[in-house]
Amino acid sequence: MESTSVRLRQARSDRGWSQPRLVRELRQAAAHRGHQLPADASVKRRIASWENGHSVPDDFYGPLLCEAYGLSAAELGLNHESGRDTSLMDVSYPASPDDAIEAVGQLWRADLNRYEPLLQAEPSEPAWNEASLRWLVAPEPAVPRQRRAGIRVGLGDVAAIKTTADMFAELDDRFGGDHARHAAIQYLSAEVAPLLRGQYTEQVGRALLSTAAEATLLAGWMSYDACRHGLAQRYFLQALRLAQDANDRRLAGSILSAMSHQATFLSRYTQAATLARAALMGISPVATPTLRAQFHAMEARALARTGDVRACEAALSAATKALESRNTDDEPEWISYFDEAELAAEAAHCFRDVNSARQAVAHAENAMSGNHVRSDFFATMVLADAHLRAGDLEEACRVAVDALDLGEQLKSARCVSYLAEFRQNLAAVDDTAEVQAFTEQIRDHRLWIASGDHLGIEPMVSK
């Protein structure tokens, strides 16, 4: 039987097409499906790789080739069905654990292949509501169907995933979501996906699904930090389904909390508050004080943006009371980061957003943990913005310099957006000597230049 590479070369040769012609045909096929492809040079490199036998078309390009050539997958030596790629753009909650395993595997592969429609996708508002409702009323957890083939998986494999995910979480915290995101997805696709499709007992399956859910949650956070919002939402949805079938209610609640965080960032405040409340309601029987504190804080963040000061302060009060009663020995390890400094940072955001600048300053000054680079950057920028809103221009500029120095190694689109917001607020201030000195001092900072790109501002040329 002819190899896939031979069949692909033959299909193009039979039509007398050059590689640029095939690129145009693929782009047209993608447009029919409402998708966009990357630059021509990138697509040509893929074509050369397929035709030289170095790789095979994936679930996304395979159907496009079928449409462009007018041939079936079998005729081209491909293993996927035409049209299968459309499931990638589906944002619905998976119907079963097997569906979640299949969907998350496809997402990992598409992410690795830099599938542009997915990377550029916008989040779906209905998907947040559907996910929270489906999870709240979910039946008893299920495990994937037992397979007779595939890798035999044990608890040692699960522990390896956990250790590796923890390493990527540390890199994410220190250097931002865009630093090691691709490497993390590569690990999940190459190492975790085969384990999910493997053979395991129910006990191992529950542990595997829980650990995979936690790792997929991290993928969602990293994608969110890179402002790949549609992709991040899809990762959160798959993580939620995996956590449901692992019977890990606490982790599932934390995933809803992450969705709430993203929704607030994207100005979907009603959905954000609903997601936070669903998290609190859904894990009520097994909630720990730290988890309750986090969920109340997420609700407060959303309420602050709506201008409901009283409800925001009530949620913050509930968060403070919950955190005061925590016993760290009884908390999940993955929520240990949420401490007094984290809650102070959330409160600072809230008071900044309700224009209580002095309170925002007080809380932001208590939010520097010294242990979490990106979180400290956010807290420092909130402090700078609060000083600016309070009229303390000189202090605002000084603190912003501290933030820029702190974030020098961060590759995070969210950090850039925080700086861009401060930059816009600063532009509304009179061009004083303090502002001129500040801009001269930080003009060559990487994040400052990136914030200008974000706002469409031409970089200043150093004299």
Side-chain angles (χ1 to χ4, degrees):
M1 178 179 287
E2 292 179 325
S3 68
T4 299
S5 60
V6 171
R7 294 188 186 193
L8 291 171
R9 284 198 305 271
Q10 189 63 46
R12 186 164 63 83
S13 175
D14 288 346
R15 287 155 183 77
W17 290 357
S18 64
Q19 284 190 355
R21 169 65 186 276
L22 178 54
V23 171
R24 292 197 299 273
E25 296 292 334
L26 289 174
R27 198 173 295 286
Q28 185 175 1
H32 288 162
R33 298 161 183 255
H35 303 336
Q36 293 180 338
L37 296 186
D40 286 0
S42 174
V43 181
K44 282 196 285 187
R45 283 195 296 271
R46 292 176 187 275
I47 293 170
S49 179
W50 301 332
E51 294 185 354
N52 291 326
H54 297 148
S55 65
V56 294
D58 54 29
D59 293 341
F60 327 109
Y61 281 95
L64 299 182
L65 285 165
C66 292
E67 181 173 333
Y69 287 135
L71 297 172
S72 69
E75 288 173 313
L76 289 175
L78 306 177
N79 294 323
H80 26 71
E81 298 295 331
S82 179
R84 184 178 171 187
D85 69 318
T86 57
S87 63
L88 277 170
M89 307 310 291
D90 184 9
V91 204
S92 61
Y93 193 63
S96 71
D98 291 292
D99 288 344
I101 289 170
E102 178 65 22
V104 79
Q106 286 191 31
L107 285 174
W108 290 334
R109 292 195 301 274
D111 196 352
L112 279 180
N113 286 315
R114 295 183 171 85
Y115 184 55
E116 287 300 312
L118 187 64
L119 294 179
Q120 303 301 329
E122 295 295 326
S124 163
E125 290 189 30
W128 282 317
N129 296 328
E130 181 198 7
S132 58
L133 179 60
R134 291 277 298 275
W135 175 70
L136 281 170
V137 302
E140 288 298 311
V143 293
R145 67 181 186 276
Q146 294 303 302
R147 296 168 172 82
R148 296 180 179 178
I151 302 170
R152 290 189 177 276
V153 184
L155 292 176
D157 298 303
V158 176
I161 298 172
K162 172 64 177 169
T163 300
T164 307
D166 286 347
M167 177 195 71
F168 281 118
E170 183 177 348
L171 292 173
D172 171 55
D173 181 63
R174 290 182 61 191
F175 302 110
D178 247 350
H179 171 71
R181 199 187 75 82
H182 194 74
I185 302 301
Q186 188 169 37
Y187 170 75
L188 292 170
S189 183
E191 304 296 334
V192 178
L195 296 178
L196 289 171
R197 295 191 296 267
Q199 303 177 64
Y200 35 81
T201 65
E202 182 171 341
Q203 177 194 10
V204 171
R206 299 277 192 222
L208 175 63
L209 291 175
S210 178
T211 304
E214 189 179 341
T216 306
L217 170 61
L218 174 62
W221 274 113
M222 295 174 91
S223 301
Y224 166 27
D225 198 51
C227 287
R228 303 288 190 184
H229 289 297
L231 177 61
Q233 184 187 51
R234 286 164 174 80
Y235 281 140
F236 290 148
L237 288 172
Q238 306 309 323
L240 184 63
R241 176 72 216 210
L242 293 172
Q244 174 190 322
D245 293 310
N247 199 24
D248 194 336
R249 302 292 289 183
R250 290 172 174 175
L251 178 58
S254 190
I255 295 166
L256 285 178
S257 179
M259 291 182 182
S260 173
H261 198 291
Q262 183 192 30
T264 294
F265 183 83
L266 295 172
S267 304
R268 272 59 165 201
Y269 309 126
T270 301
Q271 289 87 347
T274 298
L275 286 162
R277 291 165 186 153
L280 192 60
M281 180 188 303
I283 74 162
S284 182
V286 294
T288 66
T290 304
L291 286 169
R292 287 200 302 273
Q294 185 193 54
F295 302 162
H296 282 303
M298 289 303 98
E299 182 185 8
R301 285 282 299 272
L303 292 170
R305 286 290 192 171
T306 68
D308 192 338
V309 179
R310 181 175 297 180
C312 171
E313 290 180 342
L316 282 176
S317 177
T320 302
K321 184 180 294 186
L323 198 63
E324 287 172 350
S325 66
R326 82 185 188 277
N327 180 348
T328 54
D329 293 336
D330 296 333
E331 299 285 347
E333 178 270 333
W334 40 261
I335 197 62
S336 60
Y337 77 93
F338 197 88
D339 53 15
E340 287 82 3
E342 276 292 319
L343 182 55
E346 302 298 350
H349 279 85
C350 291
F351 286 113
R352 179 200 63 177
D353 294 339
V354 299
N355 294 316
S356 294
R358 292 300 178 190
Q359 285 180 282
V361 167
H363 284 283
E365 287 176 340
N366 292 323
M368 312 302 169
S369 67
N371 299 318
H372 304 290
V373 176
R374 184 178 49 210
S375 294
D376 285 351
F377 173 88
F378 289 142
T380 307
M381 283 309 308
V382 170
L383 178 59
D385 204 33
H387 277 302
L388 187 60
R389 296 183 188 207
D392 299 333
L393 179 59
E394 183 176 355
E395 187 65 8
C397 292
R398 185 194 67 77
V399 173
V401 171
D402 290 343
L404 283 161
D405 290 341
L406 182 65
E408 184 60 29
Q409 292 182 300
L410 288 169
K411 295 179 69 176
S412 163
R414 273 199 301 152
C415 289
V416 171
S417 72
Y418 269 62
L419 190 57
E421 183 177 8
F422 174 80
R423 189 166 179 165
Q424 285 182 307
N425 293 336
L426 188 66
V429 176
D430 291 338
D431 191 18
T432 63
E434 290 91 346
V435 173
Q436 292 175 13
F438 168 72
T439 54
E440 182 65 30
Q441 182 179 357
I442 50 79
R443 64 193 304 176
D444 294 325
H445 268 269
R446 182 180 60 83
L447 287 178
W448 184 256
I449 294 170
S451 72
D453 294 339
H454 182 87
L455 295 170
I457 299 171
E458 292 292 329
M460 298 173 64
V461 179
S462 299
K463 297 179 180 179

